[in-house]
Amino acid sequence: GVLKQLVNGSHDEKLRTLLALHRRSYHKEPEDLREMLRRAGVHLKSLALVKEACELCDVCKLWRNGGTTPLIKTSLSSSFNDLVYGDIIFLTVDDWKYLMLVDDCTRFTTVHYTAFRDFTDLEKVFRRGWLAQFGPMKRLRFDKESALAHDKFGAYLEKIGTKRELFKAEDQHSRLGIIDRRAQIFRHFSHKIYEDLLSESVLLDP
């Protein structure tokens, strides 16, 4: 078994086993994987190899980045569905597109695939992904350069009683940082998981 391999295996065998565990656990960071294995009773000598094993992951190497600057927000909305952040997330994976919506008060996040060929597609995923469950939000905030800043979508929001708030790119860091960070995480791990499954010849639909 795995634990036996981590006890009796050679240095290279232990690295291969740890790397496999890293991939199976959806590319956990070395510290998190080490803690998980420590709780499972893995020996200290093997735990010391976790970071080295994770650094061998080709998928993590491909999508590794320098991180982001922490964002500071002084206040939250007082109730759910008062202010929601929105954006269309574009992935390089077969040109897949997703509508991401984040509630300001609770940080509750939804992500739904959209073909996004025209306004009809956008209205459909917005209605099914949020309105059908929670009703119209009071305010929807997004970048004025976003695909959501479509005139027809603006008219639709006005019709359902939602005020849209558009901000310029230079305001994004403070105004839209909440959704920007989640979009970055979604892109990062979507590509990792896609590359992993592709290497195992698993075909995916968005």
Side-chain angles (χ1 to χ4, degrees):
V2 172
L3 291 177
K4 185 177 179 181
Q5 188 80 325
L6 291 175
V7 172
N8 301 319
S10 66
H11 179 84
D12 288 343
E13 287 172 337
K14 289 178 180 178
L15 286 178
R16 285 196 295 270
T17 301
L18 290 169
L19 178 58
L21 289 171
H22 165 71
R23 288 171 172 163
R24 289 175 193 168
S25 60
Y26 302 102
H27 300 271
K28 280 185 180 293
E29 292 296 324
E31 296 79 9
D32 296 330
L33 181 59
R34 189 183 299 112
E35 178 61 21
M36 181 183 76
L37 294 175
R38 184 190 67 78
R39 293 179 179 179
V42 173
H43 195 273
L44 286 174
K45 288 185 178 179
S46 294
L47 293 178
L49 299 176
V50 169
K51 184 176 180 181
E52 182 180 351
C54 291
E55 288 175 348
L56 296 174
C57 180
D58 291 334
V59 175
C60 287
K61 287 179 183 177
L62 183 62
W63 300 105
R64 188 170 291 137
N65 55 46
T68 58
T69 303
L71 296 168
I72 299 174
K73 193 170 187 295
T74 57
S75 62
L76 294 174
S77 297
S78 59
S79 61
F80 177 78
N81 219 15
D82 175 61
L83 170 62
V84 175
Y85 295 85
D87 201 1
I88 299 292
I89 311 301
F90 294 86
L91 300 184
T92 57
V93 176
D94 295 333
D95 195 32
W96 291 349
K97 295 172 280 289
Y98 295 84
L99 172 65
M100 175 178 284
L101 296 167
V102 182
D103 178 67
D104 182 60
C105 178
T106 63
R107 299 297 196 262
F108 175 76
T109 302
T110 64
V111 181
H112 293 276
Y113 172 76
T114 174
F116 197 59
R117 291 179 295 265
D118 52 31
F119 166 72
T120 302
D121 292 326
L122 177 58
E123 184 272 334
K124 182 184 297 183
V125 70
F126 180 75
R127 174 166 42 83
R128 293 178 177 178
W130 192 275
L131 291 188
Q133 301 177 68
F134 313 116
M137 63 284 290
K138 290 182 180 178
R139 294 176 291 156
L140 179 61
R141 178 177 293 176
F142 47 88
D143 177 13
K144 67 179 299 184
E145 302 299 326
S146 167
L148 294 177
H150 194 285
D151 288 341
K152 285 187 177 180
F153 189 62
Y156 171 74
L157 291 177
E158 185 176 355
K159 180 180 178 181
I160 63 174
T162 294
K163 177 183 178 182
R164 68 171 180 169
E165 298 181 351
L166 286 71
F167 290 91
K168 299 179 181 178
E170 55 263 29
D171 295 328
Q172 273 192 356
H173 190 68
S174 58
R175 301 280 189 172
L176 301 172
I178 293 170
I179 194 168
D180 285 347
R181 176 58 179 153
R182 282 157 179 76
Q184 182 185 23
I185 292 171
F186 178 70
R187 289 190 188 98
H188 184 67
F189 283 99
S190 294
H191 286 114
K192 277 189 174 185
I193 294 170
Y194 178 83
E195 294 291 342
D196 254 4
L197 294 176
L198 192 64
S199 69
E200 297 177 9
S201 300
V202 177
L203 298 179
L204 293 176
D205 287 326

Coordinates of all heavy atoms in Angstrom, one line a residue, residues 55-136:
E55 N 7.5 19.8 -6.1 CA 8.2 20.6 -7.1 C 8.4 19.8 -8.4 O 8.8 20.4 -9.4 CB 9.5 21.0 -6.5 CG 9.3 22.1 -5.4 CD 10.6 22.5 -4.7 OE1 11.6 21.7 -4.9 OE2 10.7 23.5 -4.0
L56 N 8.2 18.5 -8.4 CA 8.4 17.7 -9.6 C 7.1 17.7 -10.5 O 7.2 17.2 -11.6 CB 8.7 16.3 -9.2 CG 10.0 16.0 -8.5 CD1 10.2 14.6 -8.1 CD2 11.2 16.4 -9.4
C57 N 6.0 18.3 -10.0 CA 4.8 18.3 -10.7 C 4.8 19.2 -11.9 O 4.9 20.4 -11.8 CB 3.6 18.7 -9.8 SG 2.0 18.7 -10.6
D58 N 4.7 18.6 -13.1 CA 4.8 19.3 -14.4 C 3.6 20.3 -14.5 O 3.7 21.4 -15.0 CB 4.8 18.4 -15.6 CG 6.1 17.6 -15.7 OD1 7.1 18.1 -15.1 OD2 6.1 16.5 -16.2
V59 N 2.4 19.9 -14.0 CA 1.2 20.7 -14.1 C 1.4 22.0 -13.3 O 1.1 23.1 -13.7 CB -0.1 19.9 -13.7 CG1 -1.3 20.9 -13.7 CG2 -0.3 18.8 -14.7
C60 N 1.9 21.8 -12.0 CA 2.1 23.0 -11.2 C 3.2 23.9 -11.7 O 3.0 25.1 -11.6 CB 2.5 22.5 -9.8 SG 1.1 21.8 -8.8
K61 N 4.2 23.3 -12.3 CA 5.2 24.1 -13.0 C 4.7 25.0 -14.1 O 5.0 26.2 -14.2 CB 6.3 23.3 -13.5 CG 7.2 22.6 -12.5 CD 8.3 21.7 -13.2 CE 9.2 21.0 -12.2 NZ 10.1 20.1 -12.9
L62 N 3.7 24.4 -14.8 CA 3.1 25.1 -16.0 C 2.3 26.3 -15.5 O 2.3 27.3 -16.2 CB 2.3 24.1 -16.8 CG 1.6 24.6 -18.0 CD1 2.7 25.0 -19.0 CD2 0.7 23.6 -18.6
W63 N 1.6 26.2 -14.4 CA 0.7 27.2 -14.0 C 1.1 28.0 -12.7 O 0.3 28.7 -12.2 CB -0.7 26.6 -13.8 CG -1.2 26.0 -15.0 CD1 -1.3 24.6 -15.3 CD2 -1.7 26.6 -16.2 NE1 -1.8 24.4 -16.5 CE2 -2.0 25.7 -17.1 CE3 -1.8 28.0 -16.5 CZ2 -2.5 26.0 -18.4 CZ3 -2.3 28.3 -17.8 CH2 -2.6 27.3 -18.7
R64 N 2.4 27.8 -12.3 CA 2.9 28.5 -11.1 C 2.9 29.9 -11.4 O 3.4 30.4 -12.5 CB 4.2 27.9 -10.7 CG 4.7 28.4 -9.4 CD 6.0 27.6 -9.0 NE 5.6 26.3 -8.6 CZ 6.3 25.2 -9.0 NH1 7.4 25.3 -9.7 NH2 5.9 24.0 -8.6
N65 N 2.6 30.8 -10.4 CA 2.7 32.2 -10.6 C 3.2 32.8 -9.3 O 3.4 32.2 -8.3 CB 1.3 32.9 -11.0 CG 0.2 32.5 -10.0 OD1 0.4 32.6 -8.8 ND2 -0.9 32.2 -10.5
G66 N 3.4 34.1 -9.4 CA 4.0 34.8 -8.2 C 3.1 35.2 -7.1 O 3.5 35.9 -6.2
G67 N 1.8 34.9 -7.3 CA 0.9 35.3 -6.2 C 0.3 36.7 -6.4 O 0.7 37.4 -7.4
T68 N -0.5 37.1 -5.5 CA -1.1 38.5 -5.6 C -0.9 39.2 -4.3 O -0.7 38.7 -3.3 CB -2.6 38.3 -5.9 OG1 -3.2 37.6 -4.8 CG2 -2.9 37.6 -7.2
T69 N -1.1 40.5 -4.4 CA -1.0 41.4 -3.2 C -2.3 41.3 -2.5 O -3.4 41.4 -3.0 CB -0.8 42.8 -3.7 OG1 0.4 42.9 -4.5 CG2 -0.7 43.7 -2.5
P70 N -2.3 41.1 -1.1 CA -3.5 41.0 -0.4 C -4.4 42.3 -0.5 O -3.8 43.4 -0.7 CB -3.0 40.9 1.1 CG -1.6 40.4 1.0 CD -1.1 40.9 -0.3
L71 N -5.7 42.1 -0.6 CA -6.6 43.2 -0.7 C -7.2 43.5 0.6 O -7.6 42.7 1.4 CB -7.7 42.8 -1.7 CG -7.1 42.5 -3.2 CD1 -8.2 41.8 -4.0 CD2 -6.7 43.8 -3.8
I72 N -7.4 44.8 0.9 CA -8.0 45.3 2.1 C -9.3 45.9 1.8 O -9.4 46.8 1.0 CB -7.1 46.3 2.8 CG1 -5.8 45.6 3.2 CG2 -7.7 46.8 4.1 CD1 -4.7 46.5 3.8
K73 N -10.4 45.5 2.4 CA -11.7 46.0 2.2 C -12.2 46.4 3.6 O -12.3 45.6 4.5 CB -12.6 45.0 1.6 CG -13.9 45.7 1.0 CD -14.7 44.7 0.2 CE -15.9 45.4 -0.5 NZ -16.9 45.8 0.5
T74 N -12.7 47.7 3.8 CA -13.0 48.2 5.1 C -14.4 47.8 5.5 O -14.7 47.8 6.7 CB -12.9 49.7 5.1 OG1 -13.7 50.3 4.0 CG2 -11.5 50.1 4.8
S75 N -15.3 47.5 4.6 CA -16.7 47.2 5.0 C -17.3 46.2 4.0 O -16.9 46.0 2.9 CB -17.5 48.5 5.0 OG -17.6 49.0 3.7
L76 N -18.3 45.5 4.5 CA -19.1 44.5 3.7 C -20.5 45.0 3.6 O -21.0 45.8 4.4 CB -19.0 43.2 4.4 CG -17.7 42.4 4.5 CD1 -17.8 41.2 5.3 CD2 -17.1 42.1 3.1
S77 N -21.2 44.5 2.6 CA -22.6 44.7 2.5 C -23.3 44.1 3.8 O -22.8 43.1 4.3 CB -23.2 44.1 1.2 OG -22.6 44.7 0.1
S78 N -24.4 44.6 4.2 CA -25.1 44.2 5.4 C -25.9 42.9 5.2 O -26.3 42.3 6.2 CB -26.0 45.3 6.0 OG -27.0 45.7 5.0
S79 N -26.3 42.6 3.9 CA -27.1 41.4 3.7 C -26.8 40.7 2.4 O -26.2 41.3 1.5 CB -28.6 41.8 3.7 OG -28.9 42.8 2.7
F80 N -27.2 39.5 2.3 CA -27.0 38.7 1.1 C -27.8 39.3 -0.1 O -28.9 39.7 0.1 CB -27.4 37.2 1.4 CG -27.3 36.3 0.1 CD1 -26.1 35.9 -0.3 CD2 -28.4 36.0 -0.6 CE1 -26.0 35.0 -1.4 CE2 -28.3 35.2 -1.7 CZ -27.1 34.7 -2.1
N81 N -27.2 39.3 -1.2 CA -27.8 39.7 -2.5 C -28.0 41.2 -2.5 O -28.8 41.7 -3.4 CB -29.2 39.0 -2.7 CG -29.4 38.7 -4.1 OD1 -28.5 38.7 -5.0 ND2 -30.7 38.3 -4.5
D82 N -27.4 42.0 -1.6 CA -27.4 43.4 -1.7 C -26.4 43.9 -2.8 O -26.8 44.7 -3.7 CB -27.0 44.0 -0.4 CG -26.9 45.5 -0.5 OD1 -27.9 46.2 -0.8 OD2 -25.8 46.1 -0.2
L83 N -25.2 43.4 -2.8 CA -24.2 43.7 -3.8 C -23.5 42.5 -4.3 O -23.1 41.7 -3.5 CB -23.1 44.7 -3.2 CG -21.9 44.9 -4.1 CD1 -22.3 45.6 -5.4 CD2 -20.9 45.8 -3.3
V84 N -23.5 42.3 -5.6 CA -22.9 41.1 -6.2 C -21.9 41.5 -7.3 O -22.2 42.5 -8.0 CB -24.0 40.2 -6.8 CG1 -23.4 39.0 -7.6 CG2 -25.0 39.6 -5.8
Y85 N -20.8 40.9 -7.3 CA -19.8 41.1 -8.3 C -19.9 40.1 -9.4 O -20.2 38.9 -9.1 CB -18.3 41.0 -7.7 CG -18.0 42.1 -6.7 CD1 -18.4 41.9 -5.3 CD2 -17.4 43.2 -7.0 CE1 -18.1 42.8 -4.4 CE2 -17.1 44.2 -6.0 CZ -17.5 44.0 -4.7 OH -17.2 44.9 -3.8
G86 N -19.7 40.6 -10.7 CA -19.8 39.6 -11.8 C -18.8 39.8 -12.8 O -18.2 40.9 -13.0
D87 N -18.5 38.7 -13.5 CA -17.5 38.8 -14.6 C -17.6 37.5 -15.5 O -18.1 36.5 -15.0 CB -16.1 38.9 -14.1 CG -15.1 39.5 -15.1 OD1 -15.6 39.8 -16.3 OD2 -13.9 39.6 -14.9
I88 N -17.2 37.6 -16.7 CA -17.1 36.5 -17.6 C -15.7 36.0 -17.6 O -14.7 36.8 -17.8 CB -17.5 36.8 -19.1 CG1 -19.0 37.3 -19.1 CG2 -17.3 35.6 -20.0 CD1 -20.0 36.2 -18.8
I89 N -15.5 34.7 -17.2 CA -14.1 34.2 -17.1 C -13.8 33.4 -18.4 O -14.5 32.5 -18.7 CB -14.0 33.2 -15.9 CG1 -14.6 33.9 -14.6 CG2 -12.6 32.8 -15.7 CD1 -13.9 35.2 -14.2
F90 N -12.8 33.8 -19.0 CA -12.3 33.1 -20.3 C -11.2 32.2 -19.9 O -10.2 32.6 -19.4 CB -11.9 34.1 -21.3 CG -13.0 35.0 -21.8 CD1 -13.4 36.2 -21.1 CD2 -13.7 34.7 -23.0 CE1 -14.4 37.0 -21.6 CE2 -14.8 35.5 -23.4 CZ -15.1 36.6 -22.7
L91 N -11.3 30.9 -20.3 CA -10.2 29.9 -20.2 C -9.6 29.6 -21.5 O -10.3 29.7 -22.5 CB -10.8 28.6 -19.5 CG -11.4 28.7 -18.2 CD1 -11.8 27.3 -17.7 CD2 -10.5 29.4 -17.2
T92 N -8.3 29.3 -21.5 CA -7.7 29.0 -22.8 C -8.0 27.5 -23.1 O -7.7 27.1 -24.2 CB -6.1 29.1 -22.6 OG1 -5.7 28.3 -21.5 CG2 -5.8 30.6 -22.4
V93 N -8.7 26.8 -22.2 CA -9.1 25.4 -22.4 C -10.2 25.4 -23.4 O -11.4 25.7 -23.1 CB -9.5 24.7 -21.1 CG1 -10.0 23.3 -21.4 CG2 -8.4 24.7 -20.1
D94 N -9.9 25.1 -24.7 CA -11.0 25.0 -25.7 C -11.9 26.3 -25.8 O -13.1 26.1 -26.1 CB -11.8 23.8 -25.5 CG -11.0 22.5 -25.7 OD1 -10.0 22.6 -26.5 OD2 -11.3 21.5 -25.1
D95 N -11.4 27.4 -25.3 CA -12.1 28.7 -25.4 C -13.4 28.6 -24.5 O -14.4 29.1 -24.9 CB -12.5 29.0 -26.8 CG -12.9 30.5 -26.9 OD1 -12.5 31.3 -26.2 OD2 -13.8 30.8 -27.8
W96 N -13.3 27.9 -23.4 CA -14.5 27.8 -22.5 C -14.7 29.1 -21.8 O -13.8 29.8 -21.4 CB -14.3 26.7 -21.5 CG -14.3 25.3 -22.1 CD1 -14.7 25.0 -23.3 CD2 -14.0 24.1 -21.4 NE1 -14.6 23.6 -23.5 CE2 -14.2 23.1 -22.4 CE3 -13.5 23.8 -20.2 CZ2 -13.9 21.7 -22.1 CZ3 -13.2 22.4 -19.9 CH2 -13.4 21.4 -20.8
K97 N -16.0 29.4 -21.5 CA -16.3 30.7 -20.9 C -17.3 30.4 -19.7 O -18.2 29.6 -19.9 CB -16.9 31.7 -21.9 CG -16.0 32.1 -23.0 CD -16.7 32.9 -24.1 CE -17.4 32.0 -25.0 NZ -16.5 31.2 -25.9
Y98 N -17.1 31.1 -18.6 CA -18.0 30.9 -17.4 C -18.4 32.3 -16.9 O -17.7 33.2 -16.8 CB -17.2 30.2 -16.4 CG -16.9 28.8 -16.8 CD1 -15.7 28.5 -17.5 CD2 -17.7 27.7 -16.4 CE1 -15.4 27.2 -17.9 CE2 -17.3 26.4 -16.8 CZ -16.2 26.2 -17.5 OH -15.9 24.9 -17.9
L99 N -19.7 32.3 -16.4 CA -20.1 33.5 -15.6 C -19.9 33.2 -14.2 O -20.4 32.3 -13.6 CB -21.7 33.6 -15.9 CG -22.3 34.7 -15.0 CD1 -21.8 36.1 -15.3 CD2 -23.8 34.7 -15.2
M100 N -19.1 34.1 -13.5 CA -18.8 34.1 -12.1 C -19.5 35.2 -11.4 O -19.5 36.3 -11.8 CB -17.3 34.1 -11.8 CG -17.0 34.2 -10.4 SD -15.2 34.2 -10.0 CE -14.7 32.5 -10.3
L101 N -20.2 34.9 -10.3 CA -20.9 35.9 -9.5 C -20.5 35.6 -8.0 O -20.5 34.5 -7.6 CB -22.4 35.7 -9.7 CG -23.0 36.0 -11.1 CD1 -24.4 35.5 -11.2 CD2 -22.9 37.5 -11.4
V102 N -20.2 36.7 -7.3 CA -19.7 36.7 -6.0 C -20.5 37.6 -5.1 O -20.6 38.8 -5.4 CB -18.2 37.0 -5.8 CG1 -17.8 36.9 -4.4 CG2 -17.4 36.1 -6.8
D103 N -21.2 37.1 -4.1 CA -21.9 38.0 -3.1 C -21.0 38.7 -2.2 O -20.1 38.1 -1.6 CB -22.9 37.1 -2.3 CG -23.7 38.0 -1.3 OD1 -24.5 38.8 -1.7 OD2 -23.4 37.8 -0.1
D104 N -21.1 40.0 -2.1 CA -20.2 40.8 -1.3 C -20.3 40.5 0.2 O -19.3 40.4 0.9 CB -20.5 42.3 -1.5 CG -19.5 43.2 -0.7 OD1 -18.3 43.1 -1.0 OD2 -20.0 44.0 0.1
C105 N -21.5 40.2 0.7 CA -21.7 40.0 2.2 C -21.1 38.7 2.6 O -20.4 38.6 3.6 CB -23.2 40.1 2.5 SG -23.6 39.8 4.2
T106 N -21.4 37.6 1.9 CA -21.1 36.2 2.4 C -19.9 35.6 1.6 O -19.4 34.6 2.0 CB -22.3 35.3 2.2 OG1 -22.6 35.2 0.8 CG2 -23.5 35.8 2.9
R107 N -19.5 36.3 0.5 CA -18.5 35.7 -0.4 C -18.9 34.5 -1.1 O -18.1 33.7 -1.7 CB -17.2 35.5 0.3 CG -16.6 36.7 0.9 CD -16.2 37.8 -0.1 NE -15.3 38.8 0.4 CZ -15.6 40.0 0.8 NH1 -16.9 40.3 0.8 NH2 -14.7 40.9 1.2
F108 N -20.2 34.2 -1.0 CA -20.8 33.0 -1.8 C -20.5 33.2 -3.3 O -20.8 34.3 -3.8 CB -22.3 32.9 -1.5 CG -23.0 31.8 -2.3 CD1 -22.8 30.5 -1.9 CD2 -23.8 32.1 -3.3 CE1 -23.4 29.4 -2.6 CE2 -24.4 31.1 -4.1 CZ -24.2 29.8 -3.7
T109 N -20.1 32.2 -3.9 CA -19.6 32.3 -5.3 C -20.3 31.2 -6.2 O -20.4 30.1 -5.8 CB -18.1 32.2 -5.5 OG1 -17.5 33.1 -4.7 CG2 -17.7 32.3 -6.9
T110 N -20.8 31.6 -7.3 CA -21.3 30.7 -8.3 C -20.5 30.8 -9.6 O -20.1 31.9 -10.0 CB -22.8 30.9 -8.6 OG1 -23.0 32.2 -9.2 CG2 -23.6 30.8 -7.3
V111 N -20.3 29.7 -10.3 CA -19.6 29.6 -11.6 C -20.4 28.7 -12.5 O -20.7 27.6 -12.2 CB -18.2 29.1 -11.4 CG1 -17.5 29.1 -12.8 CG2 -17.4 29.9 -10.4
H112 N -20.8 29.3 -13.7 CA -21.7 28.5 -14.6 C -21.1 28.7 -16.0 O -20.8 29.8 -16.4 CB -23.1 29.0 -14.6 CG -23.8 28.6 -13.3 ND1 -24.4 27.4 -13.0 CD2 -24.0 29.4 -12.1 CE1 -24.9 27.4 -11.8 NE2 -24.7 28.6 -11.2
Y113 N -21.1 27.6 -16.7 CA -20.6 27.6 -18.1 C -21.6 28.4 -19.0 O -22.8 28.3 -18.8 CB -20.4 26.2 -18.7 CG -20.1 26.2 -20.2 CD1 -18.9 26.5 -20.7 CD2 -21.1 25.8 -21.1 CE1 -18.6 26.5 -22.0 CE2 -20.9 25.8 -22.4 CZ -19.7 26.1 -22.9 OH -19.4 26.1 -24.3
T114 N -21.1 29.1 -20.0 CA -22.0 29.8 -21.0 C -21.3 29.7 -22.3 O -20.1 29.9 -22.5 CB -22.2 31.2 -20.6 OG1 -23.0 31.9 -21.7 CG2 -21.0 32.0 -20.4
A115 N -22.1 29.4 -23.4 CA -21.6 29.5 -24.7 C -21.3 30.9 -25.1 O -20.3 31.2 -25.9 CB -22.6 28.9 -25.7
F116 N -22.0 31.9 -24.6 CA -21.8 33.3 -24.7 C -21.6 33.7 -26.2 O -20.7 34.4 -26.5 CB -20.6 33.8 -23.9 CG -20.6 35.3 -23.7 CD1 -21.7 35.9 -23.1 CD2 -19.5 36.0 -24.1 CE1 -21.7 37.3 -22.9 CE2 -19.5 37.4 -23.9 CZ -20.6 38.0 -23.3
R117 N -22.6 33.3 -27.0 CA -22.5 33.7 -28.4 C -23.2 35.1 -28.6 O -22.9 35.8 -29.5 CB -23.2 32.6 -29.3 CG -22.4 31.3 -29.4 CD -23.1 30.3 -30.3 NE -24.4 29.9 -29.7 CZ -24.5 28.8 -28.9 NH1 -23.5 28.1 -28.7 NH2 -25.7 28.5 -28.4
D118 N -24.2 35.3 -27.7 CA -25.0 36.5 -27.8 C -25.6 36.8 -26.5 O -25.5 36.1 -25.5 CB -26.0 36.5 -29.0 CG -26.9 35.3 -28.9 OD1 -27.2 34.8 -27.7 OD2 -27.3 34.7 -29.9
F119 N -26.5 37.9 -26.5 CA -27.1 38.3 -25.2 C -28.0 37.2 -24.7 O -28.2 37.0 -23.5 CB -27.9 39.6 -25.5 CG -28.9 39.9 -24.4 CD1 -28.5 40.3 -23.1 CD2 -30.3 39.7 -24.6 CE1 -29.4 40.6 -22.1 CE2 -31.2 39.9 -23.5 CZ -30.7 40.4 -22.3
T120 N -28.7 36.4 -25.6 CA -29.6 35.4 -25.1 C -28.9 34.4 -24.2 O -29.4 33.9 -23.2 CB -30.2 34.7 -26.3 OG1 -30.9 35.6 -27.2 CG2 -31.2 33.6 -25.9
D121 N -27.7 34.0 -24.6 CA -26.9 33.0 -23.8 C -26.6 33.6 -22.5 O -26.6 33.0 -21.4 CB -25.6 32.7 -24.5 CG -25.8 31.8 -25.8 OD1 -26.8 31.0 -25.8 OD2 -25.1 32.0 -26.8
L122 N -26.2 34.9 -22.4 CA -25.8 35.6 -21.2 C -27.0 35.7 -20.3 O -26.9 35.4 -19.1 CB -25.3 37.0 -21.5 CG -24.9 37.8 -20.3 CD1 -23.9 37.1 -19.4 CD2 -24.4 39.2 -20.7
E123 N -28.2 36.1 -20.8 CA -29.4 36.2 -20.0 C -29.8 34.8 -19.4 O -30.2 34.7 -18.3 CB -30.5 36.8 -20.9 CG -31.8 37.1 -20.1 CD -32.7 35.8 -20.1 OE1 -32.6 35.0 -21.0 OE2 -33.5 35.7 -19.1
K124 N -29.6 33.8 -20.2 CA -30.1 32.5 -19.8 C -29.2 32.0 -18.6 O -29.7 31.5 -17.6 CB -29.9 31.5 -21.0 CG -30.4 30.1 -20.6 CD -30.2 29.1 -21.8 CE -31.0 29.5 -23.0 NZ -30.8 28.6 -24.1
V125 N -27.9 32.1 -18.7 CA -27.0 31.6 -17.7 C -27.2 32.4 -16.4 O -27.1 31.9 -15.3 CB -25.6 31.5 -18.1 CG1 -24.9 32.9 -18.3 CG2 -24.7 30.7 -17.1
F126 N -27.4 33.7 -16.6 CA -27.6 34.6 -15.4 C -28.9 34.3 -14.7 O -29.0 34.2 -13.5 CB -27.7 36.1 -15.9 CG -27.9 37.1 -14.8 CD1 -26.8 37.4 -14.0 CD2 -29.1 37.7 -14.7 CE1 -27.0 38.4 -13.0 CE2 -29.3 38.7 -13.7 CZ -28.2 39.0 -12.8
R127 N -29.9 34.0 -15.5 CA -31.2 33.7 -14.9 C -31.2 32.3 -14.2 O -31.7 32.2 -13.1 CB -32.3 33.7 -16.0 CG -33.7 33.3 -15.6 CD -34.7 33.6 -16.6 NE -34.3 33.4 -18.0 CZ -34.3 32.2 -18.6 NH1 -34.8 31.1 -17.9 NH2 -33.9 32.0 -19.8
R128 N -30.6 31.3 -14.8 CA -30.6 30.0 -14.3 C -29.6 29.9 -13.1 O -29.8 29.2 -12.1 CB -30.3 29.0 -15.3 CG -31.3 28.8 -16.4 CD -30.9 27.8 -17.5 NE -32.0 27.6 -18.4 CZ -31.9 26.8 -19.5 NH1 -30.7 26.2 -19.7 NH2 -32.9 26.7 -20.3
G129 N -28.5 30.6 -13.3 CA -27.4 30.5 -12.3 C -27.6 31.3 -11.0 O -27.0 31.0 -10.0
W130 N -28.4 32.4 -11.1 CA -28.6 33.2 -9.9 C -30.0 33.5 -9.6 O -30.6 33.3 -8.5 CB -27.7 34.5 -10.0 CG -27.6 35.3 -8.7 CD1 -28.5 36.2 -8.2 CD2 -26.6 35.1 -7.7 NE1 -28.1 36.6 -7.0 CE2 -26.9 36.0 -6.7 CE3 -25.4 34.4 -7.6 CZ2 -26.1 36.2 -5.6 CZ3 -24.6 34.6 -6.5 CH2 -25.0 35.4 -5.5
L131 N -30.7 34.1 -10.6 CA -32.1 34.6 -10.4 C -33.0 33.6 -9.9 O -33.9 33.8 -9.0 CB -32.6 35.3 -11.6 CG -32.0 36.6 -12.1 CD1 -32.8 37.2 -13.2 CD2 -31.9 37.6 -10.9
A132 N -32.9 32.4 -10.5 CA -33.9 31.3 -10.2 C -33.8 30.9 -8.8 O -34.7 30.4 -8.2 CB -33.6 30.1 -11.2
Q133 N -32.6 31.0 -8.2 CA -32.4 30.6 -6.8 C -32.5 31.7 -5.8 O -33.0 31.5 -4.7 CB -31.0 30.0 -6.7 CG -30.7 28.8 -7.6 CD -29.3 28.3 -7.5 OE1 -28.9 27.8 -6.4 NE2 -28.5 28.5 -8.5
F134 N -32.0 32.9 -6.1 CA -31.9 34.0 -5.1 C -32.7 35.2 -5.5 O -32.8 36.1 -4.6 CB -30.5 34.4 -4.9 CG -29.6 33.2 -4.7 CD1 -28.6 32.9 -5.7 CD2 -29.7 32.3 -3.7 CE1 -27.7 31.8 -5.5 CE2 -28.9 31.2 -3.5 CZ -27.9 31.0 -4.5
G135 N -33.2 35.3 -6.7 CA -33.9 36.5 -7.1 C -32.9 37.6 -7.5 O -31.7 37.4 -7.4
P136 N -33.4 38.7 -8.0 CA -32.5 39.8 -8.5 C -31.7 40.5 -7.3 O -32.3 40.7 -6.3 CB -33.4 40.8 -9.2 CG -34.8 40.5 -8.5 CD -34.8 39.1 -8.2

